[in-house]
Amino acid sequence: MRGKAQLWGYGEVCTPEFEHLELFTMRSGEGIIQEMYAFEDKGGRQLALRPELTAAVLRMYVNEGRTLPKPLRWFYFADCFRYERPQKGRYRQFWQFGVELIGADTAAADAEVILLAHDLLSSAGLTFEMQVGHLAPMRHLLSGLDEHSQRAAMAYLDKRDFDGLAAHLADAGQDALLQNLRALVAARSLDELTVVCGDIPETERIRAVVGILEGSGISYTLNFGIARGLDYYTGTVFEAFAENLGAENQVLGGGAYRLAHLFGGDDVGSCGFAIGFDRVMVALGNSEQQRGTVVALLFTPEVQARAFEIARTLRDAGITVEINLQDRGIGAQLKHAGRSADFAVILGPREYEAGLVTLRDLRTGEQHECTLEETVDGVKGRDARR
Ligand code: HAM
């Protein structure tokens, strides 16, 4: 994922594990506040372990990055903390791989971030469904509600809890909205969207994003029922869902937002997402760690110094070397090497005198004396044939 993000021009950033609590309470929404690990430090400051990085990265932008040429393309791979009930795919400490594109408020910027998200998940080998939406149609339908009530309705929509939504709308005297909201959530094309909420100013932007996504050929579905759990989003929003994860199948969430002005910066438009890295790993299932060819370096005590030199030469040539560290004979060393290595390089007094080593292929049992250059060629030749 790091390599892919760099190919798109994104550079890695780091922020502290904890921040002032206020950074997250300002705009992230009720849900996240309840889930935070908040504490007071010895100086009486209210702090929180970061539940996510967007607010922290935008604080960093305001403090350190305001004069840099925009847009800024940043990514991070970091652990986050949320006080939730742990279950499969939901942890109190988990990892996010995320990106923030700061200072470009265009359809092209929204599309770039969605395409990058798609590229990262695909390159991880994941089977997933990408859903793309925009908050404007939902907010347009809910515009008769006050802000608090609107947020509550969006929280129900975010959880696809239509019973809760129906009760909430009834309390607010807006029962009639339910049918339209259901139709909005079911809309899968721009035409269906227009039927539900007419032509709103944001349609142009939505059409432009969809145009770029269509041109790129990625597979995705439109979903105008995406509300997102965090409160700072302003426009395009998107989520991705993976197979075989059960209830916690959302592996990615993101969208366009404005946060910098809350932290004393300019009101820049930004767009980003975070991938739930642990969920990606669970979805991919157990995979053997790829391990290259390993050489075990065995030796008799009197030639130890030369053995360490040989180990360095082989590592300089890019070969993985595990040198013997135990006080035991060559026979015992060989037996151990047979369990952990592909080749043994053996150095005894005879080889030392001749300026050679014995190279033994541990799989076939073949062995011969050779120079260090021949050893490198022999090991790498096998590597190349793999
Ligand atoms: P989020 O949807 O709260 O968005 O989290 C992003 C992803 O983190 C989720 O889709 C999920 O895969 C993973 N995740 C969340 N909570 C947990 C947990 N308790 N255990 C395991 N995985 C979890 C954000 O955090 C935004 N900051 C994304 C963003 C970046 N928006 C704009 N820029």
Side-chain angles (χ1 to χ4, degrees):
M1 286 190 184
R2 279 195 166 102
K4 275 281 174 200
Q6 279 158 359
L7 282 177
W8 288 68
Y10 287 69
E12 186 161 6
V13 293
C14 284
T15 70
E17 297 270 332
F18 57 85
E19 298 275 352
H20 285 285
L21 176 64
E22 200 192 3
L23 187 80
F24 303 111
T25 53
M26 260 191 233
R27 196 79 189 122
S28 295
E30 289 292 322
I32 209 114
I33 294 169
Q34 281 160 15
E35 290 171 359
M36 239 174 329
Y37 275 92
F39 60 97
E40 188 180 295
D41 77 354
K42 287 181 184 167
R45 285 169 286 246
Q46 295 299 317
L47 304 175
L49 297 181
R50 57 185 176 206
E52 55 118 30
L53 269 88
T54 308
V57 168
L58 267 287
R59 179 196 54 69
M60 176 177 161
Y61 158 72
V62 171
N63 292 351
E64 320 281 344
R66 259 197 283 184
T67 54
L68 297 173
K70 285 192 263 300
L72 291 173
R73 291 180 163 99
W74 282 348
F75 78 86
Y76 47 83
F77 181 42
D79 50 352
C80 303
F81 304 83
R82 295 186 191 178
Y83 195 86
E84 313 190 82
R85 200 157 43 83
Q87 51 187 289
K88 185 183 174 192
R90 182 173 287 277
Y91 311 110
R92 289 182 170 169
Q93 180 177 11
F94 62 98
W95 286 76
Q96 283 190 344
F97 187 102
V99 319
E100 309 298 343
L101 170 61
I102 303 167
D105 185 5
T106 61
D110 293 351
E112 164 164 312
V113 172
I114 296 168
L115 292 172
L116 171 55
H118 196 281
D119 197 14
L120 290 177
L121 291 180
S122 306
S123 64
L126 206 68
T127 310
F128 62 96
E129 186 189 344
M130 180 70 83
Q131 300 188 358
V132 178
H134 196 288
L135 292 179
M138 184 182 289
R139 290 210 170 123
H140 173 74
L141 292 183
L142 294 171
S143 58
L145 302 178
D146 65 44
E147 201 183 315
H148 183 74
S149 178
Q150 209 179 95
R151 283 206 185 143
M154 288 173 71
Y156 286 118
L157 279 164
D158 185 53
K159 294 192 209 105
R160 319 283 191 260
D161 176 359
F162 287 100
D163 293 339
L165 180 64
H168 176 72
L169 292 175
D171 280 351
Q174 299 276 359
D175 305 65
L177 281 181
L178 187 64
Q179 202 187 345
N180 262 351
L181 286 169
R182 277 188 182 278
L184 180 72
V185 172
R188 289 288 171 271
S189 69
L190 292 177
D191 289 344
E192 286 171 22
L193 174 67
T194 314
V195 171
V196 180
C197 67
D199 239 344
I200 53 172
E202 288 82 359
T203 314
E204 214 37 59
R205 172 79 164 252
I206 299 171
R207 199 176 294 284
V209 174
V210 166
I212 299 174
L213 297 184
E214 288 295 324
S216 74
I218 64 160
S219 89
Y220 71 100
T221 41
L222 285 175
N223 183 349
F224 297 98
I226 299 175
R228 302 289 295 131
L230 298 156
D231 276 353
Y232 47 64
Y233 296 103
T234 50
T236 299
V237 282
F238 53 97
E239 293 176 342
F241 300 87
E243 287 172 355
N244 65 26
L245 272 179
E248 301 302 329
N249 64 344
Q250 195 194 111
V251 286
L252 173 145
Y257 61 91
R258 287 177 182 273
L259 271 177
H261 61 291
L262 294 176
F263 311 145
D266 40 345
D267 185 18
V268 288
S270 306
C271 191
F273 63 81
I275 291 172
F277 200 82
D278 309 75
R279 290 185 187 175
V280 171
M281 295 305 286
V282 174
L284 291 176
N286 291 334
S287 54
E288 289 286 315
Q289 249 189 30
Q290 287 286 337
R291 187 173 141 107
T293 302
V294 176
V295 167
L297 185 52
L298 323 180
F299 58 89
T300 51
E302 63 276 32
V303 295
Q304 172 168 295
R306 175 67 187 144
F308 272 86
E309 271 175 42
I310 290 173
R312 197 182 64 199
T313 307
L314 295 178
R315 289 188 191 115
D316 285 349
I319 292 170
T320 304
V321 180
E322 291 178 359
I323 194 165
N324 171 59
L325 302 174
Q326 308 290 66
D327 207 1
R328 55 190 170 192
I330 292 286
Q333 292 183 43
L334 251 182
K335 195 169 163 208
H336 176 75
R339 290 201 296 264
S340 64
D342 305 284
F343 287 96
V345 166
I346 306 160
L347 183 71
R350 197 167 41 80
E351 287 94 346
Y352 177 77
E353 289 300 327
L356 300 169
V357 295
T358 295
L359 176 64
R360 181 183 175 97
D361 185 326
L362 291 167
R363 208 182 39 186
T364 62
E366 278 170 35
Q367 65 175 53
H368 59 282
E369 287 192 351
C370 55
T371 64
L372 276 190
E373 291 79 53
E374 288 162 350
T375 304
V376 170
D377 290 345
V379 172
K380 291 207 149 173
R382 157 97 167 265
D383 244 349
R385 285 195 301 277
R386 276 190 161 198

